[in-house]
Amino acid sequence: MSISAPQPNPSTDRDARTGDTVTDRLVEANLKYAEQFADPGMDARPVRRVAVVACMDARLDLHEALGLELGDCHTIRNAGGVVTDDIIRSLTISQRALGTRSVVLIHHTGCGLLNLTEDFRHELEEEVGQRPPWAVEAFRDLDADVRQSMQRVRTSPFLLHTDDIRGFVFDVTTGLLREVTPRR
């Protein structure tokens, strides 16, 4: 099985008449945004002293789902919301340099990592001739992976604050969070 990117959709990827790309439209939207922008005068330290680690899935509007405003939290996202070395790096900076004390971990139903395996790395190696240096971190059980992520945060020697670590599964069809209890 070869790995291939989704086929381009001319209506969303490029306007054939103007040559505009999605990125061009994003930059244009930013110009409009900047016209009305007023510096909120905020510090980089999150007001609520919380870091939220979640999946990069486009269906998750974390600020809306959690009732957060600009400046309330650090939001750290990757495929699956898995706690990897780079997530620990970001959490360490968040805690030690910017004052966060709580960590909220959010996985979600319908996650793409539920359908992948580590074979994905092998397929990439066959296609491009080089094995990726990173693990896919695929999983079959959402709750078990949330527990693993909580454990990785709790046991990291780099993190100062590991007493308020909670994990959840976000249901993409209802918008509700379901808390996952850690193993004791």
Side-chain angles (χ1 to χ4, degrees), residues 147-175:
R147 285 186 188 100
Q148 176 176 281
S149 289
M150 285 190 282
Q151 187 64 19
R152 287 178 178 176
V153 172
R154 282 196 175 98
T155 60
S156 173
F158 306 109
L159 299 175
L160 296 171
H161 308 287
T162 58
D163 54 332
D164 188 13
I165 311 299
R166 293 175 64 186
F168 301 86
V169 173
F170 178 84
D171 187 316
V172 298
T173 61
T174 66

Side-chain angles (χ1 to χ4, degrees), residues 7-17 20-22 25:
Q7 294 302 309
N9 180 342
S11 65
T12 58
D13 294 340
R14 179 178 293 279
D15 184 317
R17 291 169 288 128
D20 288 339
T21 65
V22 171
R25 291 192 293 274

